[in-house]
Amino acid sequence: MRRAAAWGRSSRRRVLRAREGLRMTRLDLLLAFILVACALAVVQAQHRARTYFVEFEQLKKEARVLDEQWGQLQLEQSTWANPARIDSVARSRLGLVAPGAERVRIETLGGLP
C-alpha cells in the first residue's frame, strides 16, 4: 500500500510538473510572439522614419527652388513697376504725353485750405 500511495503521489507530482512545464512552454511561446511583434514594429517604424526623412529632404530642396523663383519674381516685379520705366513705355509705345499746364486744374474743398 505504501508503494501504491507513494506511486500515486509521485504520479501526481509528475502531472503537476508536466502542467507547469506546459504553462511555461505556453508562456515562453507567448513571450516569443510578443518579442517578434515588437521587433517587427521597430523595423516598420525605422522604415517609416527613413521614408519620411527622404520625403522631407525632397521638400526642403523644392522649398529652396521655390524661394529662388520667388526672389526672381520679386526682382522682375520691381523692374516692371519702376515709375521711370512705366513713363518711358507710355511715351514710346503708346505716344502718351503729359498735359500742359493750361489743361491742369487743382480744386480744393470749400472751407479747407
Side-chain angles (χ1 to χ4, degrees), residues 62-87:
E62 185 179 340
R64 283 191 297 270
V65 168
L66 290 174
D67 281 341
E68 185 179 322
Q69 287 178 354
W70 174 249
Q72 290 172 353
L73 288 172
Q74 284 181 323
L75 180 63
E76 185 178 344
Q77 190 261 345
S78 68
T79 301
W80 286 101
N82 185 355
R85 184 182 183 287
I86 292 173
D87 186 63

Side-chain angles (χ1 to χ4, degrees), residues 12-88:
R12 275 190 240 148
R13 286 182 188 156
R14 285 185 199 140
V15 170
L16 290 176
R17 284 185 189 154
R19 285 186 185 167
E20 287 177 9
L22 185 60
R23 284 186 198 147
M24 288 304 290
T25 303
R26 286 181 186 167
L27 181 61
D28 291 343
L29 287 175
L30 177 64
L31 292 175
F33 177 75
I34 291 172
L35 179 67
V36 169
C38 288
L40 289 175
V42 167
V43 169
Q44 182 184 15
Q46 286 178 340
H47 175 71
R48 196 177 313 142
R50 287 182 183 131
T51 303
Y52 289 156
F53 180 75
V54 168
E55 184 180 354
F56 175 68
E57 289 297 320
Q58 289 172 347
L59 290 173
K60 281 190 348 186
K61 182 178 179 182
E62 185 179 340
R64 283 191 297 270
V65 168
L66 290 174
D67 281 341
E68 185 179 322
Q69 287 178 354
W70 174 249
Q72 290 172 353
L73 288 172
Q74 284 181 323
L75 180 63
E76 185 178 344
Q77 190 261 345
S78 68
T79 301
W80 286 101
N82 185 355
R85 184 182 183 287
I86 292 173
D87 186 63
S88 169

